[in-house]
Amino acid sequence: MKSLETLPINIVTIPVTPLRQNCSVLWRKAGHTGTLVDPGGDVDLIMRAVSNNNITIEKIVLTHGHFDHVAGADELSKMLEVSIEGPHVDDKFLLDSVAETARNYGIDGARDVAPDKWLGEGQTCSIAECDFEVLHCPGHSPGSVVYLNRTLRFAIVGDVIFKGAVGRSDFPYGDHKALISNIKNKLLIADNDDIAFICGHGSSSSFGHERSTNPFIV
Ligand SMILES: [Zn+2]
Ligand SMILES: [Zn+2]
């Protein structure tokens, strides 16, 4: 597996909300222009990480519409004057009810999110000044996307797959069959074994490691 340390990109992960969601700040080692991925809340913590690393955020990118991944996006996009890209439009219903859902989890101050740009299969999204391919991988949520850079052998997978687990699909709109099929057919293919990924909760891993050990796949 390609180690994340060898990437030409710095990654700082900030666990946010009581759900310990991995908000990530990514920027090129050679520069100071960064991308915020899944700013789910705790905006102060995120802003501290950004200023501690002397990063200018150029964009916010979302993997899917769950409140723990997006609840800080609207506030940060206005504060930093940057746009929000992704996920797939099929998660619009989730992004339209972020404040309400967060309140049900006892979290105040969350705001609904209106992305500036929806993303779909095969489109390109720039993250940390590198081009990532967009893979639409519904199942955990209808609009979940994975960002993949084949040259860097690096992916950002949100809650589609984790180290040793897969995203939950027991929501009314979840689809376990579709999730497993997308994981097997789009991510865990032999050619991708050396691709490292960061995910929405817990540790990073690689597609090859999960292909041979993930109990939900093997
Ligand atoms: Zn999720
Ligand atoms: Zn999550």
Coordinates of all heavy atoms in Angstrom, one line a residue, residues 1-86:
M1 N 0.8 -1.2 0.0 CA 0.0 0.0 0.0 C 0.9 1.2 0.0 O 1.9 1.3 0.7 CB -0.9 0.0 1.2 CG -1.5 1.3 1.6 SD -2.4 1.3 3.2 CE -2.6 3.0 3.5
K2 N 0.5 2.2 -0.8 CA 1.1 3.4 -0.8 C 0.8 4.2 0.5 O -0.3 4.3 0.8 CB 0.7 4.2 -2.1 CG 1.4 5.5 -2.3 CD 1.5 5.9 -3.7 CE 2.2 7.2 -3.8 NZ 2.6 7.6 -5.1
S3 N 1.8 4.6 1.1 CA 1.6 5.3 2.4 C 1.2 6.7 2.2 O 1.6 7.4 1.2 CB 2.9 5.2 3.3 OG 3.1 6.5 3.9
L4 N 0.3 7.2 3.0 CA -0.2 8.6 2.8 C 0.9 9.6 3.0 O 0.9 10.7 2.4 CB -1.3 8.9 3.9 CG -2.6 8.1 3.7 CD1 -3.6 8.4 4.8 CD2 -3.3 8.4 2.4
E5 N 1.9 9.2 3.7 CA 3.1 10.2 4.0 C 3.8 10.5 2.7 O 4.4 11.5 2.6 CB 4.0 9.6 5.0 CG 3.6 9.7 6.4 CD 2.5 8.7 6.8 OE1 2.7 7.5 6.5 OE2 1.5 9.1 7.3
T6 N 3.8 9.5 1.7 CA 4.5 9.8 0.5 C 3.8 10.6 -0.5 O 4.3 10.9 -1.6 CB 4.9 8.4 -0.2 OG1 3.7 7.7 -0.6 CG2 5.7 7.5 0.8
L7 N 2.5 10.9 -0.3 CA 1.7 11.7 -1.2 C 2.3 13.1 -1.2 O 2.9 13.6 -0.2 CB 0.3 11.8 -0.7 CG -0.7 10.6 -0.9 CD1 -2.0 10.9 -0.2 CD2 -0.9 10.3 -2.4
P8 N 2.1 13.8 -2.4 CA 2.6 15.2 -2.5 C 1.6 16.1 -1.8 O 1.6 17.4 -2.0 CB 2.7 15.4 -4.0 CG 1.7 14.5 -4.6 CD 1.6 13.3 -3.7
I9 N 0.7 15.5 -1.0 CA -0.4 16.3 -0.4 C -0.3 16.1 1.1 O -0.1 15.0 1.6 CB -1.8 15.8 -0.9 CG1 -2.0 16.0 -2.4 CG2 -2.9 16.4 -0.1 CD1 -3.3 15.4 -2.9
N10 N -0.5 17.2 1.9 CA -0.6 17.1 3.3 C -2.1 16.9 3.7 O -2.9 17.5 3.0 CB -0.1 18.4 4.0 CG 1.4 18.6 4.0 OD1 2.1 17.6 4.3 ND2 1.8 19.8 3.6
I11 N -2.3 16.1 4.6 CA -3.7 15.8 5.1 C -3.7 16.0 6.6 O -3.0 15.3 7.3 CB -4.1 14.4 4.8 CG1 -3.9 14.0 3.3 CG2 -5.5 14.1 5.2 CD1 -4.1 12.6 2.9
V12 N -4.6 16.9 7.0 CA -4.8 17.0 8.5 C -6.3 16.6 8.7 O -7.2 17.1 8.0 CB -4.6 18.4 9.0 CG1 -5.1 18.6 10.4 CG2 -3.1 18.7 9.0
T13 N -6.5 15.7 9.6 CA -7.8 15.2 9.9 C -8.3 15.7 11.2 O -7.6 15.7 12.2 CB -7.8 13.7 9.9 OG1 -7.4 13.2 8.6 CG2 -9.2 13.1 10.2
I14 N -9.5 16.3 11.2 CA -10.1 16.9 12.5 C -11.4 16.1 12.8 O -12.3 16.3 12.0 CB -10.4 18.4 12.3 CG1 -9.2 19.1 11.7 CG2 -10.8 19.0 13.6 CD1 -9.6 20.1 10.6
P15 N -11.4 15.3 13.8 CA -12.6 14.6 14.2 C -13.6 15.6 14.7 O -13.3 16.4 15.6 CB -12.2 13.6 15.2 CG -10.7 13.5 15.2 CD -10.3 14.8 14.7
V16 N -14.8 15.7 14.1 CA -15.8 16.7 14.5 C -17.1 16.0 14.8 O -17.4 14.9 14.4 CB -16.0 17.8 13.4 CG1 -14.8 18.6 13.1 CG2 -16.5 17.1 12.1
T17 N -17.9 16.7 15.6 CA -19.2 16.3 16.1 C -19.1 15.1 17.0 O -18.1 14.4 17.0 CB -20.2 16.0 15.0 OG1 -20.0 14.6 14.5 CG2 -20.2 16.9 13.8
P18 N -20.2 14.8 17.8 CA -20.1 13.7 18.7 C -19.9 12.4 17.9 O -19.5 11.3 18.5 CB -21.5 13.7 19.4 CG -21.9 15.1 19.4 CD -21.4 15.6 18.1
L19 N -20.2 12.4 16.6 CA -20.0 11.2 15.8 C -18.5 11.0 15.3 O -18.2 10.1 14.6 CB -20.9 11.2 14.6 CG -22.4 11.3 14.9 CD1 -23.3 11.4 13.7 CD2 -22.8 10.1 15.8
R20 N -17.7 11.9 15.7 CA -16.2 11.8 15.4 C -16.0 11.7 13.9 O -15.3 10.7 13.5 CB -15.6 10.7 16.2 CG -15.8 10.7 17.7 CD -15.3 11.9 18.3 NE -13.8 11.9 18.4 CZ -13.1 12.9 18.8 NH1 -13.7 14.1 19.0 NH2 -11.8 12.9 18.8
Q21 N -16.6 12.5 13.2 CA -16.5 12.5 11.7 C -15.2 13.1 11.3 O -14.8 14.1 11.8 CB -17.7 13.2 11.1 CG -17.9 13.0 9.6 CD -17.0 13.9 8.8 OE1 -16.2 13.4 8.0 NE2 -17.0 15.2 9.0
N22 N -14.5 12.5 10.4 CA -13.2 13.0 9.9 C -13.3 14.1 8.9 O -13.4 13.9 7.7 CB -12.4 11.8 9.2 CG -11.9 10.8 10.2 OD1 -11.6 11.0 11.3 ND2 -11.8 9.6 9.6
C23 N -13.3 15.3 9.4 CA -13.2 16.5 8.5 C -11.7 16.5 8.1 O -10.8 16.3 8.9 CB -13.6 17.8 9.1 SG -13.1 19.2 8.2
S24 N -11.4 16.7 6.8 CA -10.0 16.8 6.4 C -9.6 18.1 5.7 O -10.4 18.6 4.9 CB -9.7 15.6 5.4 OG -10.0 14.4 6.0
V25 N -8.5 18.6 6.0 CA -7.9 19.7 5.3 C -6.8 19.1 4.4 O -5.9 18.4 4.9 CB -7.3 20.8 6.2 CG1 -7.0 22.0 5.4 CG2 -8.2 21.0 7.3
L26 N -6.8 19.3 3.1 CA -5.8 18.8 2.2 C -5.1 19.9 1.4 O -5.9 20.8 0.9 CB -6.4 17.8 1.2 CG -7.1 16.6 1.8 CD1 -8.6 16.8 1.9 CD2 -6.8 15.3 1.0
W27 N -3.8 19.9 1.3 CA -3.1 20.9 0.5 C -1.8 20.4 0.0 O -1.2 19.5 0.6 CB -2.9 22.2 1.3 CG -1.9 22.2 2.4 CD1 -0.6 22.6 2.3 CD2 -2.1 21.7 3.7 NE1 0.0 22.4 3.5 CE2 -0.9 21.8 4.4 CE3 -3.2 21.1 4.4 CZ2 -0.7 21.5 5.7 CZ3 -3.0 20.7 5.7 CH2 -1.8 20.9 6.4
R28 N -1.4 20.9 -1.2 CA -0.1 20.4 -1.8 C 1.0 20.7 -0.9 O 1.1 21.8 -0.3 CB 0.1 21.1 -3.1 CG -0.7 20.5 -4.3 CD -0.2 21.1 -5.6 NE 1.0 20.4 -6.1 CZ 0.9 19.3 -6.9 NH1 -0.2 18.8 -7.3 NH2 2.0 18.7 -7.3
K29 N 2.0 19.8 -0.7 CA 3.1 20.1 0.1 C 3.9 21.3 -0.4 O 4.6 22.0 0.4 CB 4.0 18.8 0.2 CG 3.5 17.8 1.1 CD 4.2 16.5 1.2 CE 3.6 15.6 2.2 NZ 4.0 14.2 2.1
A30 N 3.8 21.5 -1.7 CA 4.5 22.7 -2.3 C 3.8 24.0 -2.1 O 4.3 25.0 -2.5 CB 4.8 22.4 -3.7
G31 N 2.6 24.0 -1.6 CA 1.8 25.2 -1.6 C 1.0 25.5 -0.3 O 1.2 24.8 0.7
H32 N 0.2 26.5 -0.3 CA -0.6 26.8 0.8 C -2.1 27.0 0.5 O -2.9 27.6 1.3 CB -0.1 28.1 1.5 CG 1.3 28.0 2.1 ND1 1.5 27.5 3.3 CD2 2.5 28.2 1.6 CE1 2.7 27.4 3.6 NE2 3.4 27.9 2.5
T33 N -2.5 26.4 -0.7 CA -3.9 26.5 -1.1 C -4.6 25.2 -0.8 O -4.2 24.1 -1.3 CB -4.0 26.8 -2.6 OG1 -3.3 28.0 -2.8 CG2 -5.4 27.0 -3.0
G34 N -5.6 25.2 0.1 CA -6.2 23.9 0.5 C -7.6 23.7 0.2 O -8.4 24.7 -0.1
T35 N -8.1 22.5 0.4 CA -9.5 22.1 0.3 C -10.0 21.5 1.6 O -9.3 20.8 2.2 CB -9.6 21.1 -0.9 OG1 -9.0 21.6 -2.1 CG2 -11.1 20.8 -1.1
L36 N -11.2 21.9 2.0 CA -11.8 21.3 3.1 C -12.8 20.2 2.7 O -13.7 20.5 1.9 CB -12.7 22.4 3.8 CG -12.1 23.2 4.9 CD1 -13.1 24.2 5.5 CD2 -11.5 22.4 6.1
V37 N -12.6 19.0 3.2 CA -13.5 17.9 2.8 C -14.4 17.6 4.0 O -13.9 17.3 5.1 CB -12.7 16.7 2.3 CG1 -13.7 15.5 2.0 CG2 -12.0 17.0 1.0
D38 N -15.7 17.6 3.8 CA -16.7 17.2 4.8 C -16.5 18.0 6.2 O -16.3 17.3 7.2 CB -16.6 15.7 5.1 CG -17.2 14.9 4.0 OD1 -17.7 15.5 3.0 OD2 -17.2 13.6 4.1
P39 N -16.7 19.3 6.1 CA -16.7 20.0 7.4 C -18.0 19.8 8.1 O -19.0 20.6 8.0 CB -16.5 21.5 6.9 CG -17.1 21.5 5.5 CD -16.9 20.1 5.0
G40 N -18.1 18.8 9.0 CA -19.4 18.4 9.6 C -19.8 19.2 10.8 O -20.9 19.0 11.2
G41 N -19.0 20.1 11.3 CA -19.3 20.9 12.4 C -18.1 21.3 13.2 O -17.0 21.2 12.6
D42 N -18.3 21.8 14.4 CA -17.1 22.3 15.2 C -16.2 23.2 14.3 O -15.0 23.0 14.2 CB -16.3 21.1 15.7 CG -17.0 20.2 16.7 OD1 -17.9 20.7 17.4 OD2 -16.8 19.0 16.7
V43 N -16.9 24.2 13.8 CA -16.2 25.2 12.9 C -15.0 25.8 13.5 O -14.0 26.0 12.8 CB -17.3 26.2 12.4 CG1 -16.6 27.4 11.8 CG2 -18.3 25.6 11.5
D44 N -15.0 26.1 14.8 CA -13.9 26.7 15.5 C -12.6 25.8 15.4 O -11.5 26.2 15.1 CB -14.1 26.9 16.9 CG -15.2 28.0 17.1 OD1 -15.6 28.6 16.1 OD2 -15.7 28.2 18.2
L45 N -12.8 24.4 15.6 CA -11.7 23.5 15.5 C -11.2 23.4 14.1 O -9.9 23.4 13.9 CB -12.2 22.1 15.8 CG -12.5 21.7 17.3 CD1 -12.9 20.2 17.4 CD2 -11.2 21.9 18.1
I46 N -12.0 23.5 13.1 CA -11.6 23.4 11.7 C -10.8 24.7 11.4 O -9.7 24.6 10.8 CB -12.8 23.3 10.8 CG1 -13.5 21.9 11.0 CG2 -12.4 23.4 9.3 CD1 -14.8 21.7 10.3
M47 N -11.3 25.8 11.8 CA -10.6 27.1 11.5 C -9.3 27.2 12.2 O -8.3 27.7 11.6 CB -11.5 28.3 11.9 CG -12.7 28.6 11.0 SD -12.2 28.7 9.3 CE -11.3 30.3 9.4
R48 N -9.2 26.6 13.4 CA -7.9 26.6 14.1 C -6.9 25.7 13.3 O -5.7 26.1 13.1 CB -8.0 26.0 15.5 CG -6.9 26.5 16.4 CD -7.2 26.0 17.9 NE -8.6 26.4 18.3 CZ -9.3 25.7 19.2 NH1 -8.8 24.6 19.7 NH2 -10.5 26.1 19.6
A49 N -7.3 24.6 12.8 CA -6.4 23.7 12.0 C -5.9 24.4 10.7 O -4.8 24.3 10.3 CB -7.1 22.4 11.7
V50 N -6.9 25.2 10.1 CA -6.5 25.9 8.9 C -5.5 27.0 9.2 O -4.5 27.1 8.5 CB -7.8 26.5 8.3 CG1 -7.5 27.5 7.2 CG2 -8.7 25.4 7.7
S51 N -5.7 27.7 10.2 CA -4.8 28.8 10.5 C -3.5 28.3 11.1 O -2.4 28.9 10.8 CB -5.4 29.9 11.4 OG -5.7 29.4 12.6
N52 N -3.5 27.3 11.9 CA -2.2 26.7 12.4 C -1.3 26.2 11.3 O -0.1 26.2 11.4 CB -2.5 25.5 13.3 CG -3.0 25.9 14.7 OD1 -3.0 27.1 15.0 ND2 -3.5 25.0 15.4
N53 N -1.9 25.8 10.2 CA -1.1 25.3 9.1 C -0.9 26.4 8.0 O -0.4 26.1 6.9 CB -1.7 24.0 8.5 CG -1.6 22.9 9.4 OD1 -0.5 22.3 9.6 ND2 -2.7 22.5 10.1
N54 N -1.4 27.6 8.2 CA -1.2 28.7 7.3 C -1.7 28.4 5.9 O -1.1 28.6 4.9 CB 0.3 29.0 7.3 CG 0.6 30.3 6.6 OD1 -0.3 31.2 6.6 ND2 1.8 30.5 6.1
I55 N -3.0 27.8 5.9 CA -3.6 27.4 4.6 C -4.7 28.4 4.2 O -5.4 28.9 5.1 CB -4.3 26.1 4.8 CG1 -3.3 25.0 5.3 CG2 -5.0 25.6 3.5 CD1 -2.1 24.9 4.4
T56 N -4.7 28.7 2.9 CA -5.8 29.5 2.4 C -6.8 28.5 1.7 O -6.4 27.8 0.8 CB -5.3 30.5 1.3 OG1 -4.4 31.3 1.9 CG2 -6.5 31.3 0.8
I57 N -8.0 28.4 2.3 CA -9.0 27.4 1.7 C -9.6 28.0 0.5 O -10.1 29.1 0.5 CB -10.1 27.1 2.8 CG1 -9.4 26.4 4.0 CG2 -11.2 26.3 2.2 CD1 -8.8 25.1 3.7
E58 N -9.6 27.2 -0.6 CA -10.1 27.7 -1.9 C -11.5 27.0 -2.2 O -12.2 27.5 -3.0 CB -9.2 27.3 -3.0 CG -8.9 25.8 -3.0 CD -8.3 25.3 -4.4 OE1 -8.1 26.1 -5.3 OE2 -8.1 24.1 -4.4
K59 N -11.9 26.0 -1.4 CA -13.1 25.3 -1.8 C -13.5 24.3 -0.7 O -12.6 23.8 0.1 CB -12.8 24.5 -3.1 CG -14.0 23.9 -3.7 CD -13.6 22.7 -4.6 CE -12.9 23.2 -5.9 NZ -12.7 22.0 -6.8
I60 N -14.8 24.0 -0.6 CA -15.3 23.0 0.3 C -15.8 21.8 -0.6 O -16.6 22.1 -1.6 CB -16.4 23.5 1.2 CG1 -15.8 24.5 2.2 CG2 -17.1 22.4 2.0 CD1 -16.8 25.4 2.9
V61 N -15.5 20.6 -0.3 CA -15.9 19.5 -1.1 C -16.7 18.5 -0.1 O -16.2 18.2 1.0 CB -14.8 18.8 -1.8 CG1 -15.2 17.4 -2.4 CG2 -14.2 19.7 -2.9
L62 N -17.8 18.0 -0.6 CA -18.6 17.1 0.2 C -18.7 15.7 -0.4 O -18.8 15.5 -1.6 CB -20.0 17.6 0.4 CG -20.1 19.0 1.0 CD1 -21.6 19.5 1.0 CD2 -19.5 19.2 2.3
T63 N -18.6 14.6 0.5 CA -18.7 13.2 0.0 C -20.2 12.8 -0.1 O -20.5 11.9 -0.9 CB -17.9 12.2 0.8 OG1 -18.5 12.3 2.2 CG2 -16.4 12.6 0.9
H64 N -21.0 13.3 0.9 CA -22.4 12.9 0.9 C -23.1 13.8 1.8 O -22.5 14.7 2.5 CB -22.6 11.4 1.2 CG -22.2 11.0 2.6 ND1 -20.9 11.0 3.0 CD2 -23.0 10.5 3.6 CE1 -20.9 10.6 4.3 NE2 -22.1 10.3 4.7
G65 N -24.5 13.6 1.9 CA -25.3 14.7 2.6 C -25.6 14.5 4.0 O -26.3 15.3 4.6
H66 N -25.0 13.5 4.7 CA -25.2 13.3 6.1 C -24.7 14.5 7.0 O -23.6 15.0 6.7 CB -24.6 12.0 6.7 CG -25.4 10.8 6.3 ND1 -24.9 9.6 6.1 CD2 -26.8 10.7 6.0 CE1 -25.9 8.7 5.8 NE2 -27.0 9.4 5.7
F67 N -25.6 14.9 8.0 CA -25.3 16.1 8.7 C -23.9 16.2 9.3 O -23.3 17.2 9.4 CB -26.4 16.4 9.8 CG -26.2 15.6 11.0 CD1 -25.5 16.2 12.1 CD2 -26.6 14.4 11.2 CE1 -25.3 15.6 13.3 CE2 -26.4 13.7 12.4 CZ -25.7 14.3 13.4
D68 N -23.4 15.0 9.8 CA -22.1 15.0 10.5 C -21.0 15.2 9.5 O -19.8 15.4 9.9 CB -21.9 13.7 11.3 CG -22.0 12.4 10.4 OD1 -22.9 12.4 9.6 OD2 -21.2 11.5 10.6
H69 N -21.3 15.3 8.2 CA -20.2 15.6 7.2 C -20.4 17.0 6.6 O -19.4 17.4 6.0 CB -20.3 14.5 6.0 CG -19.9 13.2 6.5 ND1 -18.8 12.5 6.1 CD2 -20.6 12.3 7.3 CE1 -18.7 11.3 6.6 NE2 -19.8 11.2 7.4
V70 N -21.5 17.6 6.8 CA -21.8 18.8 6.1 C -22.3 20.0 6.9 O -22.4 21.1 6.4 CB -22.9 18.6 5.0 CG1 -22.5 17.4 4.1 CG2 -24.3 18.4 5.6
A71 N -22.6 19.8 8.3 CA -23.3 20.8 9.0 C -22.5 22.1 9.2 O -23.1 23.1 9.5 CB -23.7 20.2 10.4
G72 N -21.2 22.1 9.0 CA -20.4 23.3 9.1 C -20.2 24.0 7.7 O -19.6 25.1 7.6
A73 N -20.6 23.3 6.6 CA -20.3 23.8 5.3 C -20.8 25.2 4.9 O -20.1 26.0 4.4 CB -20.7 22.8 4.3
D74 N -22.1 25.4 5.3 CA -22.7 26.7 4.9 C -22.0 27.9 5.6 O -21.6 28.9 5.0 CB -24.2 26.7 5.2 CG -24.9 28.0 4.8 OD1 -25.1 28.1 3.6 OD2 -25.2 28.8 5.7
E75 N -21.8 27.7 6.9 CA -21.1 28.8 7.7 C -19.7 29.0 7.2 O -19.3 30.1 7.0 CB -21.1 28.3 9.2 CG -20.5 29.4 10.1 CD -20.6 28.9 11.6 OE1 -21.2 27.9 11.9 OE2 -19.9 29.6 12.4
L76 N -18.9 27.9 6.9 CA -17.6 28.1 6.5 C -17.5 28.6 5.1 O -16.6 29.4 4.8 CB -16.9 26.7 6.5 CG -16.4 26.2 7.9 CD1 -16.2 24.7 8.0 CD2 -15.2 27.0 8.4
S77 N -18.4 28.3 4.2 CA -18.4 28.8 2.8 C -18.6 30.3 2.8 O -18.0 31.0 2.0 CB -19.4 28.1 1.9 OG -20.7 28.6 2.1
K78 N -19.4 30.8 3.7 CA -19.7 32.2 3.8 C -18.5 32.9 4.5 O -18.1 34.0 4.1 CB -21.0 32.5 4.5 CG -22.1 32.1 3.6 CD -23.5 32.3 4.1 CE -24.5 31.9 3.0 NZ -25.5 30.9 3.3
M79 N -18.0 32.3 5.5 CA -16.9 32.9 6.3 C -15.6 33.0 5.4 O -14.9 34.0 5.4 CB -16.6 32.0 7.5 CG -15.7 32.5 8.5 SD -15.3 31.2 9.7 CE -16.8 31.1 10.6
L80 N -15.4 32.0 4.6 CA -14.1 31.9 3.8 C -14.4 32.4 2.4 O -13.4 32.5 1.6 CB -13.6 30.5 3.8 CG -13.2 29.8 5.1 CD1 -13.0 28.3 5.0 CD2 -12.0 30.5 5.7
E81 N -15.6 32.7 2.1 CA -16.0 33.1 0.7 C -15.5 32.1 -0.3 O -14.9 32.4 -1.3 CB -15.5 34.5 0.4 CG -16.1 35.5 1.4 CD -15.6 36.9 1.1 OE1 -14.5 37.1 0.6 OE2 -16.4 37.9 1.4
V82 N -15.9 30.8 -0.1 CA -15.5 29.8 -1.1 C -16.8 29.0 -1.4 O -17.8 29.0 -0.7 CB -14.5 28.8 -0.5 CG1 -13.2 29.5 -0.2 CG2 -15.0 28.1 0.8
S83 N -16.7 28.3 -2.5 CA -17.9 27.5 -3.0 C -17.9 26.1 -2.4 O -16.9 25.6 -1.9 CB -17.9 27.4 -4.5 OG -16.7 26.8 -5.0
I84 N -19.0 25.4 -2.6 CA -19.2 24.1 -2.1 C -19.5 23.2 -3.3 O -20.4 23.5 -4.1 CB -20.4 24.0 -1.1 CG1 -20.2 24.9 0.1 CG2 -20.6 22.5 -0.7 CD1 -21.4 25.0 1.0
E85 N -18.7 22.1 -3.4 CA -18.9 21.2 -4.6 C -19.2 19.8 -4.0 O -18.7 19.3 -3.0 CB -17.6 21.1 -5.4 CG -17.4 22.3 -6.3 CD -16.3 22.1 -7.3 OE1 -15.9 21.0 -7.6 OE2 -15.8 23.2 -7.7
G86 N -20.2 19.1 -4.7 CA -20.6 17.8 -4.4 C -21.6 17.8 -3.3 O -21.8 18.9 -2.7

